Amino acid sequence: GFFFGIPSLAILSLIMLIPIGMSFYLSFTKYTVLGSPTWIGAENFVKLFQDQAFLSSLWVTVLYTLISVPIQTIVSLFVADMLAKRFQNRFGSFVRSALFIPVMSSMVVVAVVWRAILGTDTGLVNQVAKAVGLEPVNFLGNPKLALVVVALVTVWKNIGYFLVIYYAGILDIPRELYEASAIDGASSWQQLWKITIPSLKPITFLVVILGTIWSFQVFDLVYVMTGGGPGGATTTIVMMIFQAGFQNFQMGYASAMAVVLFLVLLVVAIIQRKVLSGNDD
């Protein structure tokens, strides 16, 4: 078995383990690409936590995650429950397929389309608003709206993916549980709360973990829709890493940010596992 696993381990090491190790090393150096890395110890990390722009990007990323992950988790669960219990027919299949189309679309394409739809002057939404006598809304240029709008676009794109996962999980729950509860007089809401949600705890853990990781790693959607603006209102931590490493050529500093992101995701995953698994461990 070990020898069969060597090819996969080699590929994994090449594209993941080695780059992670290099990032950890470069985070303790001053490296501008033009020369050799110079060891400076923890100086990058000290500078990092004194950098208000980085702390702001970290907070923006947390807010983005807190908006998108709960909404896409709850909505996908409720829609999956509705389709599994009431629409196991062609209509249900059509809805699942329609909601999965955004998942297959490129994030850049999604960002371009939604930027065109939400544009202040020529966007479809504001054109309709003007037609009915309403004032246009600057969705992507308002610091109070931009992050929420980007998060909701993320929800729109991801719901179909998590919907399919929940749908499969609901179909695996024994029908006898619902039949017995119905005989005892349980309502649909009570069945959802007492049977469906507890039975889907492992799936919910997976959905929340994936959603959190994807949210902390968001880049292309923000880059295309807002470029991190207005005024840094949508500048996420990965945007900061990109700017530091590929625009300012501060690879050591960017690697320090990447290490912090890695550790934050590790801690979040551990906490979520403890909270969602309860006493199962």
Side-chain angles (χ1 to χ4, degrees), residues 91-104:
F91 175 74
S93 299
F94 169 77
V95 172
R96 294 199 309 275
S97 301
L99 290 176
F100 201 78
I101 291 175
V103 177
M104 298 185 293

Side-chain angles (χ1 to χ4, degrees), residues 102-173:
V103 177
M104 298 185 293
S105 303
S106 164
M107 186 67 85
V108 173
V109 172
V110 169
V112 170
V113 170
W114 276 102
R115 182 170 181 173
I117 292 174
L118 299 173
T120 305
D121 297 322
T122 59
L124 176 63
V125 174
N126 280 316
Q127 288 294 324
V128 173
K130 291 178 182 178
V132 297
L134 299 177
E135 290 293 326
V137 179
N138 190 0
F139 291 103
L140 302 178
N142 187 331
K144 295 181 180 179
L145 288 178
L147 185 64
V148 175
V149 170
V150 173
L152 292 178
V153 172
T154 301
V155 171
W156 174 82
K157 186 180 191 307
N158 292 341
I159 278 180
Y161 183 84
F162 298 128
L163 165 66
V164 171
I165 296 176
Y166 271 127
Y167 185 84
I170 292 172
L171 293 183
D172 282 340
I173 300 174

Side-chain angles (χ1 to χ4, degrees), residues 34-237:
L34 300 178
S36 300
T38 304
W39 185 267
I40 59 175
E43 184 177 321
N44 282 328
F45 293 96
V46 174
K47 179 182 176 182
L48 202 60
F49 289 100
Q50 296 175 345
D51 187 347
Q52 292 301 316
F54 170 75
L55 296 177
S56 175
S57 70
L58 186 58
W59 175 241
V60 167
T61 306
V62 170
L63 284 178
Y64 171 84
T65 303
L66 291 176
I67 295 171
S68 60
V69 173
I71 295 177
Q72 67 192 16
T73 302
I74 294 171
V75 173
S76 59
L77 172 59
F78 275 89
V79 175
D81 182 70
M82 179 185 66
L83 293 178
K85 292 181 180 178
R86 302 180 184 178
F87 297 103
Q88 290 193 36
N89 49 31
R90 291 185 178 180
F91 175 74
S93 299
F94 169 77
V95 172
R96 294 199 309 275
S97 301
L99 290 176
F100 201 78
I101 291 175
V103 177
M104 298 185 293
S105 303
S106 164
M107 186 67 85
V108 173
V109 172
V110 169
V112 170
V113 170
W114 276 102
R115 182 170 181 173
I117 292 174
L118 299 173
T120 305
D121 297 322
T122 59
L124 176 63
V125 174
N126 280 316
Q127 288 294 324
V128 173
K130 291 178 182 178
V132 297
L134 299 177
E135 290 293 326
V137 179
N138 190 0
F139 291 103
L140 302 178
N142 187 331
K144 295 181 180 179
L145 288 178
L147 185 64
V148 175
V149 170
V150 173
L152 292 178
V153 172
T154 301
V155 171
W156 174 82
K157 186 180 191 307
N158 292 341
I159 278 180
Y161 183 84
F162 298 128
L163 165 66
V164 171
I165 296 176
Y166 271 127
Y167 185 84
I170 292 172
L171 293 183
D172 282 340
I173 300 174
R175 296 298 97 188
E176 294 81 1
L177 295 177
Y178 294 104
E179 293 171 359
S181 64
I183 293 174
D184 290 337
S187 64
S188 298
W189 170 253
Q190 289 173 323
Q191 289 178 337
L192 174 65
W193 188 252
K194 297 295 184 178
I195 299 176
T196 306
I197 293 179
S199 299
L200 295 176
K201 183 181 290 186
I203 294 178
T204 300
F205 170 71
L206 172 66
V207 168
V208 172
I209 287 294
L210 285 177
T212 301
I213 292 174
W214 293 353
S215 295
F216 268 85
Q217 294 179 336
V218 65
F219 169 74
D220 36 12
L221 184 68
V222 174
Y223 184 79
V224 175
M225 289 190 70
T226 64
T234 59
T235 300
T236 61
I237 186 171

